Amino acid sequence: MIKIISFKICPFVQRVTAALEAKNVPYEIEYISLKEPPDWFYDVSPNGQVPLLITESEAVLFESDAIIEYLDEVFPALQPELNAEQRAMERAWSYQASKHYLVQCSAMQSADAETLQMRRANLNKAFVRAEAMLGKEPYFSGASIGNVDIAWLPLLHRANIIEVETGFDFLEGNPKVKKWQMAMMQTGLAQRSVSSDFDNAFADFYLSEKTVLGKMTQGLSNESEPSLAASDNECCG
């Protein structure tokens, strides 16, 4: 059986596990701490990052883009009807999502309102681009879920958690993206692609008293906390 090596709140991992869930592919998952990884981790991870996918033949695959392509080659595609040009476009729009994962992580770690708004504006560029592409169908390419939807799920899922917990909406001003977010959340893929204690782990990291979003949940003033949030590189990888 396929095995995934994961850090619980890493969006790159969630992209892979969501793809496996959408394809109904069974897999095992092992969670590690990136602060104190096991000794064997750096022996098998060329870049010292997650996700890793260990195949049934014990080959170790890394980089989420490469892992997604592997899954499409060995398991049925989510949208087999797409032609070569359409598949290339799917990869390009998937990249538009994944290159903003760390942008969102950084925004959620903001220690003050000014930094949050500055980083939100940077993240919003991605949502504005998506807004211009979305149509009336529930998913990016139409009536069925595809790789672009899977790639954007971590962004949409985390934006949903933040809005529910704090009232701060990363998707404000993008009504089509909001509709897309709702459709993706209704699939249940967000919940199935993370650990059972994901919400707690996410809140401990992003909604702590060190972040302005955490202060929103705890009713703390911006001036009462330190000016630095957790290190940005702890998002994953």
Side-chain angles (χ1 to χ4, degrees):
M1 183 182 295
I2 283 174
K3 184 174 184 178
I4 303 295
I5 307 300
S6 171
F7 172 54
K8 283 186 178 178
I9 59 174
C10 176
F12 296 93
V13 172
Q14 187 180 16
R15 178 188 179 190
V16 171
T17 53
L20 290 166
E21 291 287 343
K23 292 172 178 283
N24 295 311
V25 176
Y27 63 97
E28 299 177 41
I29 190 161
E30 179 176 345
Y31 296 104
I32 66 169
S33 166
L34 290 184
K35 287 185 177 180
E36 298 179 353
D39 292 339
W40 54 262
F41 177 67
Y42 289 111
D43 292 335
V44 299
S45 176
N47 58 3
Q49 297 176 349
V50 293
L52 297 179
L53 185 150
I54 304 175
T55 70
E56 292 183 352
S57 64
E58 299 187 353
V60 179
L61 309 182
F62 64 105
E63 295 290 353
S64 59
D65 287 332
I67 292 172
I68 292 294
E69 289 192 20
Y70 167 79
L71 295 178
D72 276 347
E73 289 184 8
V74 298
F75 299 107
L78 293 175
Q79 295 177 305
E81 73 279 6
L82 299 183
N83 62 35
E85 290 179 354
Q86 290 169 326
R87 290 195 298 271
M89 288 295 292
E90 291 265 312
R91 288 193 293 271
W93 277 103
S94 295
Y95 177 66
Q96 287 296 307
S98 62
K99 76 176 184 178
H100 283 87
Y101 290 169
L102 297 184
V103 177
Q104 187 182 52
C105 290
S106 177
M108 294 186 299
Q109 289 178 288
S110 299
D112 57 72
E114 182 179 359
T115 302
L116 174 61
Q117 292 297 346
M118 178 184 67
R119 292 175 176 177
R120 178 198 180 276
N122 192 23
L123 176 62
N124 190 53
K125 294 174 184 177
F127 294 133
V128 168
R129 295 189 190 103
E131 180 77 11
M133 292 296 296
L134 290 167
K136 295 181 179 180
E137 297 286 357
Y139 307 115
F140 189 86
S141 299
S144 61
I145 288 178
N147 282 343
V148 177
D149 303 289
I150 297 299
W152 285 77
L153 177 62
L155 295 174
L156 301 175
H157 182 198
R158 285 155 178 73
N160 177 257
I161 295 173
I162 294 299
E163 183 177 13
V164 169
E165 295 296 328
T166 72
F168 185 87
D169 187 5
F170 277 109
L171 307 185
E172 183 179 5
N174 299 292
K176 291 181 181 178
V177 177
K178 288 285 290 184
K179 185 178 178 181
W180 185 25
Q181 178 193 50
M182 183 179 300
M184 288 302 297
M185 293 304 297
Q186 289 175 345
T187 67
L189 280 173
Q191 292 75 21
R192 298 201 305 273
S193 58
V194 294
S195 66
S196 59
D197 61 346
F198 173 83
D199 286 355
N200 289 335
F202 180 90
D204 287 346
F205 194 80
Y206 292 113
L207 299 178
S208 74
E209 61 184 18
K210 294 181 180 181
T211 71
V212 67
L213 291 172
K215 295 166 192 174
M216 293 179 188
T217 68
Q218 301 169 27
L220 301 175
S221 68
N222 290 348
E223 291 77 17
S224 64
E225 300 301 332
S227 59
L228 293 177
S231 172
D232 285 353
N233 64 10
E234 294 180 22
C235 173
C236 64

